[in-house]
């Protein structure tokens, strides 16, 4: 009770407490970036084999593979289990870095939106802010970021990480569509060699080939992080699940919502990223690639490779978000 009455005293005391709250909150900005590293490791370990099958289905003619199971079996038969992890080095490093940037910036943008737009510390109609007129429990409810705020923060985080993700995914995609069993017959011997050859021939624009498609694809983070908040609230309110279990189910289900809404744009992105650079380039822009997908497969062409992607989405992202939220709770 004493803490509550001191906040009622006046504008000066409330303002001082508001400043103290912000000072306490600011150091925790680092937590999202650190926790994101562990998310990236978990995501790649579980999800990369699914991703290899997805990319191969997205970028080949129908005659090469009869479906995801056929693609999986052919890959294992011809290239062994390591074939499923082909191109894994850039995303291993990339996912650690990308999830650190994505989840760290997401955490920051959530706080930024909450404190400056949705629940500003100083309410425009209340001198001294909310501390002087609302109980601690009411303050917590007042400060909670609404679902649309989580969704907008997701879009902002997606745009931020796209500048890291675009070159990583570009190199990964080119390595994944090298089908030659004999390594000497492959154009690229590895991620560094791939990056060097692209940069030598086409410069930085070549490395960032597909950036616009990446930005568009990650704008669908609106649905991922918005639905993650919805699932988290529902599971918290209507079940007795532990926090890690809630993170697991909310993370897996929200990732599937994301892929259902974003998958067609990912198909187009992969076509652009595996297109020739320089002479012989097929697609001048996103629209050309989308038209090519439509001509070749109609509506179903935009969903080619969806099954392995959908199957991957739940376990990979469920594990990733359990790791992320667990580290967030552990760090001081």
């Amino acid at each position: 009770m004493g803490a509550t009455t001191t906040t009622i005293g006046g504008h000066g005391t409330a303002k001082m407490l508001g400043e103290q709250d912000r000072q306490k909150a600011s150091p925790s900005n680092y937590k999202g970036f650190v926790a994101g590293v562990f998310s990236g490791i978990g995501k790649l370990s579980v999800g990369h084999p699914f991703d290899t099958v997805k990319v191969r289905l997205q970028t080949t003619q129908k005659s090469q593979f009869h479906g995801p199971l056929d693609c999986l079996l052919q890959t294992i038969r011809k290239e062994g289990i390591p074939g499923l992890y082909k191109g894994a080095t850039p995303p291993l490093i990339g996912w650690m870095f990308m999830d650190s940037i994505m989840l760290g910036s997401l955490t920051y943008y959530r706080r930024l939106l909450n404190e400056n737009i949705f629940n500003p510390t100083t309410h425009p109609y209340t001198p001294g802010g909310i501390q002087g007129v609302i109980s601690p429990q009411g303050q917590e409810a007042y400060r909670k970021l609404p679902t649309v705020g989580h969704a907008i923060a997701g879009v902002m985080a997606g745009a931020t990480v796209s500048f890291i993700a675009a070159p990583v995914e570009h190199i990964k995609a080119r390595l994944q569509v090298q089908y030659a069993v004999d390594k000497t017959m492959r154009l690229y011997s590895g991620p560094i060699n791939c990056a060097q050859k692209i940069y030598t021939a086409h410069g930085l624009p070549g490395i960032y080939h597909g950036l616009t498609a990446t930005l568009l694809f990650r704008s669908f983070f609106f649905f991922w992080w918005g639905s993650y908040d919805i699932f988290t609230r529902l599971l918290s309110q209507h079940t007795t699940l532990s926090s890690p279990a809630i993170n697991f189910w909310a993370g897996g289900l929200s990732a599937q919502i994301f892929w259902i809404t974003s998958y067609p744009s990912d198909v187009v992105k992969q076509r652009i990223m595996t297109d020739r650079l320089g002479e012989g380039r097929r697609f001048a822009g996103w629209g050309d690639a989308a038209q090519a997908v439509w001509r070749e497969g109609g509506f179903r062409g935009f969903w080619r490779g969806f099954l392995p992607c959908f199957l991957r989405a739940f376990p990979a992202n469920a594990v990733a978000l359990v790791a992320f939220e667990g580290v967030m709770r552990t760090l001081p």
Side-chain angles (χ1 to χ4, degrees):
M1 286 294 293
T4 305
T5 54
T6 56
T7 58
I8 300 175
H11 177 73
T13 305
K15 183 176 180 181
M16 181 180 69
L17 289 174
E19 289 297 325
Q20 289 173 350
D21 287 342
R22 279 194 291 274
Q23 288 170 8
K24 288 179 182 177
S26 59
S28 65
N29 283 334
Y30 83 95
K31 291 166 62 176
F33 293 95
V34 175
V37 171
F38 293 88
S39 168
I41 295 170
K43 187 181 294 182
L44 181 112
S45 300
V46 176
H48 193 77
F50 292 93
D51 191 60
T52 296
V53 173
K54 172 183 76 82
V55 171
R56 290 188 169 193
L57 288 171
Q58 286 178 331
T59 56
T60 57
Q61 298 297 318
K62 289 182 180 179
S63 58
Q64 185 158 350
F65 302 116
H66 300 301
L69 182 59
D70 179 53
C71 180
L72 173 67
L73 294 175
Q74 281 197 46
T75 300
I76 294 174
R77 187 167 57 249
K78 295 177 181 178
E79 304 167 58
I81 296 297
L84 295 173
Y85 282 90
K86 189 174 283 185
T89 304
L92 174 60
I93 299 168
W95 275 121
M96 290 168 61
F97 191 44
M98 286 192 298
D99 270 25
S100 176
I101 298 297
M102 191 261 285
L103 293 170
S105 64
L106 177 73
T107 304
Y108 175 74
Y109 292 139
R110 282 170 172 171
R111 180 176 293 124
L112 195 70
L113 290 168
N114 200 36
E115 292 180 353
N116 294 280
I117 296 178
F118 291 98
N119 296 312
T121 304
T122 303
H123 194 282
Y125 303 111
T126 308
I130 63 170
Q131 292 93 341
V133 294
I134 302 178
S135 68
Q137 294 82 4
Q139 291 174 28
E140 184 63 29
Y142 181 88
R143 291 194 184 109
K144 186 172 286 188
L145 184 67
T147 297
V148 68
H150 284 273
I152 294 170
V155 175
M156 296 167 70
T160 300
V161 77
S162 288
F163 291 91
I164 305 298
V168 171
E169 293 181 352
H170 180 203
I171 293 167
K172 173 177 71 71
R174 291 196 179 275
L175 291 173
Q176 284 177 315
V177 296
Q178 293 191 125
Y179 297 100
V181 179
D182 185 354
K183 292 184 178 181
T184 61
M185 300 296 291
R186 297 175 188 170
L187 178 59
Y188 308 116
S189 61
I192 295 176
N193 177 255
C194 180
Q196 286 175 337
K197 285 185 175 179
I198 292 173
Y199 183 78
T200 300
H202 307 285
L204 201 58
I207 295 290
Y208 272 90
H209 182 69
L211 174 61
T212 301
T214 304
L215 286 164
L216 177 61
F217 167 67
R218 279 180 166 73
S219 69
F220 288 90
F221 276 14
F222 182 92
F223 299 100
W224 185 0
W225 294 107
S227 64
Y228 180 70
D229 180 63
I230 291 171
F231 285 128
T232 299
R233 292 182 194 231
L234 289 174
L235 291 169
S236 299
Q237 293 168 4
H238 300 292
T239 73
T240 57
L241 292 172
S242 65
S243 293
I246 289 173
N247 300 149
F248 181 88
W249 286 103
L253 291 170
S254 61
Q256 291 185 316
I257 295 292
F258 164 68
W259 280 107
I260 289 171
T261 55
S262 69
Y263 193 80
S265 70
D266 185 57
V267 172
V268 177
K269 174 173 73 74
Q270 295 295 346
R271 286 295 188 94
I272 291 170
M273 286 185 167
T274 54
D275 189 18
R276 288 179 178 272
L277 295 170
E279 272 187 55
R281 182 173 171 180
R282 293 181 61 197
F283 312 124
W286 194 93
D288 294 324
Q291 287 175 6
V293 174
W294 178 262
R295 281 196 306 270
E296 293 170 16
F299 177 77
R300 294 183 66 180
F302 288 99
W303 298 93
R304 184 166 163 78
F306 177 71
L307 183 58
C309 173
F310 191 70
L311 293 175
R312 164 192 177 273
F314 190 102
N317 289 284
V319 168
L321 283 164
V322 167
F324 171 72
E325 298 286 10
V327 174
M328 286 287 287
R329 285 191 291 269
T330 303
L331 290 173

